[in-house]
Amino acid sequence: MPSLDMLSELIPAFVTLFVIIDPIGLVPVFIVLTQGTDTRHRRRMAIRACIASFLILAAFAVVGESVLGIFGIHMPAFRIAGGTLLFLIALEMLFERRSQKRNQRAEQVHQELEDEHELDQQITDTKPAQPDEEPDDISIFPMSIPFLAGPGSIATVMLLMGKYENSVVMQVSVVAVVGLVMLCALTMFLLANLVAKRLSPTVATVISRLLGMILAALAVQFIIDGIKQAFFP
């Protein structure tokens, strides 16, 4: 059983990752990208996207700091830069720009896939009839990269790992938190239609802005920690 002190550290870590990845906000994106497909395909895409995203984030959690070291970047500088990035994301959430960008990107990708499918259909119309083709695989792009495992979530994982660089137990716990957030995302995707029906736009806006405020405060804390470590060791 984790101690109260550990839980007091892991709960903010979970909240930060949950806000950055935003499984609730990705539900409309997932619905758009899997439009016209059957339940089996949607389930497969959801599972693949979440597993791939977990592996990507876990990989950055393990080797991310070493990669920064190759370029001569130290954790204080990354904390300041990463905190600034998270703060900008928080501002987008507060002013509802992030969800608009995600939906526009999802619509764009969906339209591109539709255009490719129509072109393939025109080519195959002149060929003998073949069994129905498998729907497009959207699990890696764009669901995993950049939506689930994008720059914000990668930076957050690396910041959390750097925060607990002296505790292997806490670093393992951070990876476990990543898995828990992905499990939440998987649940949201599997229940996408139900969530979309029950979650009104007003409630979604209130939740997004509330989480944006929390993320802004956490981002500022990362920046303060980076400044302290860099200038007042």
Side-chain angles (χ1 to χ4, degrees), residues 56-128:
I56 292 169
L57 294 178
F60 274 98
V62 174
V63 302
E65 189 171 353
S66 299
V67 173
L68 291 179
I70 294 174
F71 296 98
I73 302 172
H74 301 288
M75 281 308 296
F78 187 76
R79 284 195 178 99
I80 296 172
T84 304
L85 172 63
L86 298 186
F87 187 77
L88 293 175
I89 293 174
L91 289 180
E92 289 188 343
M93 294 179 67
L94 287 171
F95 295 103
E96 282 295 294
R97 294 175 184 168
R98 193 184 188 205
S99 59
Q100 293 174 4
K101 288 182 179 179
R102 277 182 167 176
N103 290 337
Q104 289 173 0
R105 179 58 176 157
E107 291 285 357
Q108 179 184 350
V109 172
H110 180 65
Q111 186 60 48
E112 290 173 356
L113 293 174
E114 286 291 323
D115 293 342
E116 289 179 5
H117 185 269
E118 289 178 3
L119 181 60
D120 291 340
Q121 187 65 37
Q122 292 175 2
I123 295 174
T124 54
D125 282 344
T126 60
K127 297 181 180 180

Side-chain angles (χ1 to χ4, degrees), residues 177-216:
V177 167
V178 174
L180 182 58
V181 174
M182 288 304 157
L183 186 60
C184 292
L186 177 60
T187 303
M188 293 291 178
F189 295 157
L190 294 178
L191 302 175
N193 291 329
L194 179 62
V195 173
K197 289 178 182 178
R198 297 295 179 89
L199 191 66
S200 68
T202 302
V203 174
T205 299
V206 171
I207 293 175
S208 177
R209 291 185 174 176
L210 177 61
L211 294 179
M213 282 295 298
I214 295 173
L215 179 61

